Amino acid sequence: MFARRIAVVGTGYVGLTTGACLASLGHHVICADVDEEKIRRLQDGKVDILEPGLSDLVAEGLAAGRLAFTVGAAVAVEQHAEGVEVVFLCVPTPMGVGGVADLRAVEAVLDEIRDTLPSGCVIVNKSTVPVGTAVRTAELLGRSDVAVTSNPEFLREGTAVRDFLNPDRIVVGGEAQDAAERVAALYSRLGARLCSPIRPVPNW
């Protein structure tokens, strides 16, 4: 497995677990948030989320130099000197009027990073979003050279780290098969079953 350069936007429950766990798998991860105080605490290894194993993974990632935290999504994208390869969107999508997910945070991030994304990178929707959001994301992004995929999370509070590192399946979908395969390959060390319309990733 090759280590990838990853940006995770959002350091809430899903984002922080995703970033810390991906770093534990050997990837180089920069997590971003708009909350400056939260980022300062995370940079010091202080995790406010009560989740077994998460604080240890954050500390290990920081010590190994595979995990970092910064303010601003665009900064996270730009801090990967050789170019970010995958960007996970893990921002809040609360239920809005009529029970529809509020996608304003997703839209704000896309506006922020649109012009800083390197050609060939992949956007991954990991926030809880309705069907059709990947298409909408691609439209808002307006970059034919940046693929959009979906990789829903199945994390339970209290067992999120264990769920992430011991999944019974990895779900990835997207219009571009090569992009979906690249996202699926991030999890190759876990040896989980791949659920996707794409072909199996080689060497799994």
Side-chain angles (χ1 to χ4, degrees):
M1 182 204 78
F2 294 102
R4 297 301 183 189
R5 299 181 296 278
I6 299 169
V8 176
V9 183
T11 60
Y13 196 84
V14 173
L16 186 57
T17 300
T18 297
C21 287
L22 286 172
S24 77
L25 296 178
H27 302 296
H28 299 283
V29 183
I30 299 177
C31 295
D33 205 289
V34 295
D35 188 328
E36 295 184 17
E37 177 59 29
K38 180 194 287 187
I39 290 300
R40 280 195 292 269
R41 290 179 60 78
L42 288 170
Q43 288 170 339
D44 291 335
K46 298 175 181 177
V47 177
D48 297 326
I49 298 173
L50 297 177
E51 182 62 44
L54 185 55
S55 292
D56 291 339
L57 286 186
V58 169
E60 292 167 6
L62 288 169
R66 291 193 302 269
L67 181 62
F69 298 95
T70 192
V71 177
V75 177
V77 169
E78 294 170 336
Q79 278 189 357
H80 280 290
E82 297 179 24
V84 69
E85 297 175 281
V86 182
V87 179
F88 281 86
L89 303 182
C90 302
V91 295
T93 53
M95 187 177 297
V97 178
V100 179
D102 185 342
L103 301 180
R104 284 179 293 181
V106 173
E107 294 169 357
V109 171
L110 294 176
D111 283 341
E112 182 180 349
I113 67 176
R114 179 183 296 110
D115 297 331
T116 61
L117 294 169
S119 179
C121 78
V122 181
I123 295 290
V124 183
N125 274 321
K126 206 167 183 66
S127 300
T128 302
V129 293
V131 173
T133 300
V135 173
R136 178 60 176 158
T137 298
E139 292 174 348
L140 290 170
L141 195 60
R143 292 277 303 268
S144 61
D145 59 335
V146 175
V148 176
T149 66
S150 295
N151 174 215
E153 53 88 11
F154 300 96
L155 306 180
R156 298 167 294 176
E157 291 190 19
T159 60
V161 171
R162 185 174 69 190
D163 290 344
F164 190 103
L165 298 177
N166 299 278
D168 61 359
R169 65 199 182 283
I170 300 294
V171 179
V172 182
E175 294 267 334
Q177 178 172 306
D178 61 332
E181 288 180 351
R182 286 166 58 193
V183 174
L186 298 175
Y187 303 94
S188 61
R189 284 184 57 186
L190 301 178
R193 178 170 56 98
L194 174 63
C195 297
S196 174
I198 65 174
R199 295 192 299 267
V201 176
N203 299 323
W204 267 41

